Amino acid sequence: MSKNDSISMSVIRRLPRYYRFLTELDEQGIDRISSTKLAQIMSVTASQVRQDLNCFGGFGQQGYGYSVSQLKIEIETILGLNNSYKAIIIGVGNLGNALAQHMNFGQLGFELVGCFDISPEKVGREIRGLRIRHDSELEAFCSEKKLDAAFLCIPKSAVENVIDVLYRHGIRSYWNFSHFDICSKYSDAVVENVHLSDNLMTLCYRMNNSLG
Amino acid sequence: MSKNDSISMSVIRRLPRYYRFLTELDEQGIDRISSTKLAQIMSVTASQVRQDLNCFGGFGQQGYGYSVSQLKIEIETILGLNNSYKAIIIGVGNLGNALAQHMNFGQLGFELVGCFDISPEKVGREIRGLRIRHDSELEAFCSEKKLDAAFLCIPKSAVENVIDVLYRHGIRSYWNFSHFDICSKYSDAVVENVHLSDNLMTLCYRMNNSLG
DNA sequence: TAGATTGTTAATCGATTAACAATC
DNA sequence: TAGATTGTTAATCGATTAACAATC
C-alpha cells in the first residue's frame, strides 16, 4: 500500500497549480523555498502546502524547506507529465481547432495523434501537421493505433455515438467539452469536464452578488 | 438580510448544472419532479438538492415536489441570466475566436460588445458582426462604453498591462484563460479562471492512477 | 548549538448526508 | 384522509488549519 493511495480530488486538483508556481520559481533561478513562503505566493496556508505535499512523500527538509527544482520534478512525476498518452481530438470546429493549436500536449502528458471531423470541407486539411480525418475512419484508426484518450469538441447530441465507438475500442479517458454526461453511461470512464457556459454563468452570478 | 447571503461557492458552482438538467426536463415537457428523482438523474443525493435549493427559497411543495418550469426560471433569476453585462474579448487568437463563435453570451447573462487584438492582420476583420479593434483603441472604447466584464484570451505576459487599463476604467469582472493571477493584484476583482492545461494535467494524473 | 522549518497529529471548520416533523 | 415529499435540524464526514515535537 503506497502512500499515494486515495488522494482526495481536492488535493489532486491543486497539484497543477503547485507545478506552475514551482516552474516559475525555478525559472527565476530560486533554489529553495519554505512552505510559508510558497503559501504566501500562492495565497494559501502553509499547513495546506505541507499537508498536500506529504500525501506523496516527505520532499522537504527540516530547517531548510524544499528544493524548488527537485520538488518541481517530483510533482511532474506525480502528475505523470512524462507520459505520452496517445490522444485524438473529435471535432475541429472553433474550439477543437483552438485546442489543437494552443495546447502544449507534450508537456502535459499527451501526444496528439489524430483529428476527426464530419465536415467535408475540413477533412483533408492539416492541423498541427495532422491530416483531419473523417469520422468514418474513426473505427479503423482506433483499431490500428492504441489510443489512450479522446478530447471531445463536438455538440452534446453527437457525443453518444462517438464515445460508444471509442469505449468499445478500450478508450476510457475523456476530456469533455460537451454537456453529455459520460460517467452516467460509462461509470468506469475517467472524465474531465470543461463546461465553459457553466463558468460564465457562475461569473454572472458572482457579478450580481458582488457588492459595489 | 435576505436568504441568499453568503452562499458557499460549492453551492454556487452547482447552480448551472441544476439549470442545465431542468432545462432539459422542461424541453422534454416534464412538469414536476421530486428531489429524489432529480438527484437520481444528476447523480447526487436528494438531501443535497433540497439543501442547495433551500439556500435561495422554498421552491417546492410538500407532497408534490418541484415545478420544473418554475424552478428553472427561479435558478435563471438567481444566476442572473437575464442580465446583459457588456463584455469584451481581449485576444482573438484561436481561443478567443472560438469563444466568440461558440458561446451563446445572450443566454448566459452577457452581451459581447467588442473584440481586441494586437495583430495587424486581425484588426479590421469581423467576428460575430464585430470589427476587431486594435489594443490601442481599448482605452477610448472603455471610456465610451460602460463595460462590465472582460474575457482574457491573451498570453500571461500580456495580461498585466491590459487589466491595468481595464481596472482603471472600472472593470472588475474577468473570465481569465491565462495563468496570470489577477486576484493577487486586484483583490476586489471577480475572477473566473479557466486553466485548460491544469485540467489536462489532472486528467493525466487520473489516468496514471486509475486501475486497469 | 540555536534557529528554522518540516512532518504529523489534533482541533476546527465547513460541507454533505440522514432523519423526521411539517404539510400539501 | 393517507401518501408523498418538502424544509430543516441534527449527525456525519471530510477538508482545512493550528500546533508542536522531531530534526536538519
Side-chain angles (χ1 to χ4, degrees):
Chain A
M1 190 189 336
S2 94
K3 200 166 187 180
N4 73 352
D5 275 343
S6 69
I7 309 294
S8 80
M9 276 306 283
S10 318
V11 174
I12 294 168
R13 291 195 187 286
R14 281 196 291 267
L15 290 177
R17 192 152 182 272
Y18 287 116
Y19 184 68
R20 275 197 277 124
F21 279 85
L22 287 165
T23 302
E24 226 166 87
L25 290 166
D26 199 28
E27 280 166 7
Q28 287 164 25
I30 292 164
D31 287 334
R32 52 174 280 208
I33 194 154
S34 67
S35 57
T36 309
K37 195 74 200 307
L38 183 56
Q40 215 171 292
I41 298 172
M42 296 180 63
S43 314
V44 295
T45 63
S47 271
Q48 182 164 81
V49 170
R50 294 204 294 279
Q51 285 274 32
D52 283 355
L53 298 178
N54 265 87
C55 291
F56 303 98
F59 302 131
Q61 200 170 320
Q62 276 104 329
Y64 176 86
Y66 300 85
S67 152
V68 169
S69 60
Q70 190 202 299
L71 187 56
K72 173 183 177 279
I73 291 170
E74 293 286 2
I75 296 181
E76 203 169 304
T77 308
I78 292 163
L79 284 166
L81 305 185
N82 50 315
N83 278 290
S84 292
Y85 287 124
K86 288 206 175 82
I88 56 177
I89 294 180
I90 312 283
V92 284
N94 292 300
L95 187 59
N97 184 51
L99 295 182
Q101 307 290 352
H102 186 265
M103 305 294 296
N104 274 315
F105 296 112
Q107 289 172 32
L108 302 165
F110 293 89
E111 185 197 354
L112 185 64
V113 297
C115 295
F116 291 83
D117 206 289
I118 41 160
S119 156
E121 310 151 23
K122 281 172 197 150
V123 173
R125 273 177 35 204
E126 278 217 353
I127 199 168
R128 276 261 186 132
L130 293 169
R131 184 180 67 83
I132 298 173
R133 293 175 156 82
H134 191 267
D135 274 20
S136 58
E137 304 176 55
L138 187 56
E139 191 107 33
F141 193 83
C142 288
S143 300
E144 188 194 336
K145 313 257 181 184
K146 218 215 136 305
L147 302 175
D148 300 296
F151 306 155
L152 306 173
C153 306
I154 49 181
K156 182 183 179 186
S157 56
V159 171
E160 188 162 15
N161 284 327
V162 168
I163 61 167
D164 283 349
V165 173
L166 298 175
Y167 190 90
R168 195 151 17 89
H169 281 86
I171 298 179
R172 293 291 176 274
S173 303
Y174 301 94
W175 198 21
N176 178 35
F177 287 79
S178 83
H179 284 149
F180 186 88
D181 193 347
I182 299 176
C183 287
S184 282
K185 180 153 193 191
Y186 297 113
S187 60
D188 66 338
V190 176
V191 181
E192 278 293 307
N193 290 305
V194 180
H195 294 324
L196 294 174
S197 56
D198 288 19
N199 294 144
L200 254 199
M201 290 189 212
T202 304
L203 181 63
C204 183
Y205 175 93
R206 294 176 61 199
M207 288 170 72
N208 295 133
N209 297 88
S210 68
L211 318 173
Chain B
M1 186 188 340
S2 93
K3 201 167 186 181
N4 74 351
D5 274 345
S6 71
I7 308 295
S8 79
M9 277 305 284
S10 317
V11 174
I12 294 166
R13 291 197 186 287
R14 281 196 290 268
L15 290 177
R17 191 152 183 273
Y18 287 116
Y19 184 67
R20 275 197 276 123
F21 278 86
L22 287 164
T23 302
E24 224 166 89
L25 290 166
D26 199 27
E27 281 167 5
Q28 287 164 24
I30 293 165
D31 287 334
R32 53 175 281 209
I33 193 153
S34 67
S35 57
T36 308
K37 194 77 199 306
L38 182 56
Q40 213 171 295
I41 298 172
M42 296 180 64
S43 314
V44 296
T45 64
S47 271
Q48 182 163 82
V49 170
R50 294 203 296 278
Q51 286 274 31
D52 283 355
L53 298 179
N54 265 87
C55 291
F56 304 98
F59 302 130
Q61 201 170 320
Q62 277 103 329
Y64 176 86
Y66 300 85
S67 151
V68 170
S69 61
Q70 190 201 298
L71 188 54
K72 171 181 177 280
I73 290 169
E74 291 287 2
I75 296 182
E76 203 169 304
T77 307
I78 293 163
L79 285 166
L81 305 185
N82 50 316
N83 277 290
S84 290
Y85 286 126
K86 288 207 176 82
I88 55 176
I89 294 181
I90 312 283
V92 283
N94 293 301
L95 187 59
N97 184 52
L99 296 182
Q101 308 290 351
H102 185 266
M103 305 295 295
N104 274 315
F105 295 112
Q107 289 172 31
L108 302 165
F110 293 89
E111 185 197 355
L112 185 65
V113 298
C115 295
F116 291 83
D117 206 290
I118 42 160
S119 156
E121 310 152 23
K122 281 172 197 151
V123 173
R125 272 176 38 202
E126 278 217 352
I127 199 169
R128 274 259 186 137
L130 295 168
R131 185 180 66 83
I132 299 174
R133 293 175 157 82
H134 191 268
D135 273 20
S136 58
E137 304 175 55
L138 187 55
E139 192 105 35
F141 193 83
C142 288
S143 301
E144 188 194 334
K145 313 259 182 181
K146 219 215 134 308
L147 300 176
D148 301 296
F151 306 154
L152 305 172
C153 306
I154 49 182
K156 182 184 178 183
S157 57
V159 171
E160 187 163 16
N161 284 327
V162 168
I163 62 167
D164 284 349
V165 173
L166 299 175
Y167 190 90
R168 194 152 18 88
H169 281 86
I171 298 179
R172 292 292 175 274
S173 303
Y174 301 94
W175 198 21
N176 177 35
F177 287 80
S178 83
H179 285 148
F180 186 88
D181 193 346
I182 299 175
C183 287
S184 282
K185 181 154 193 190
Y186 297 113
S187 60
D188 66 337
V190 175
V191 182
E192 278 293 307
N193 290 306
V194 179
H195 294 323
L196 295 173
S197 57
D198 288 19
N199 295 143
L200 253 199
M201 289 189 213
T202 304
L203 181 62
C204 183
Y205 175 92
R206 294 176 61 200
M207 287 170 72
N208 295 134
N209 296 89
S210 68
L211 318 172

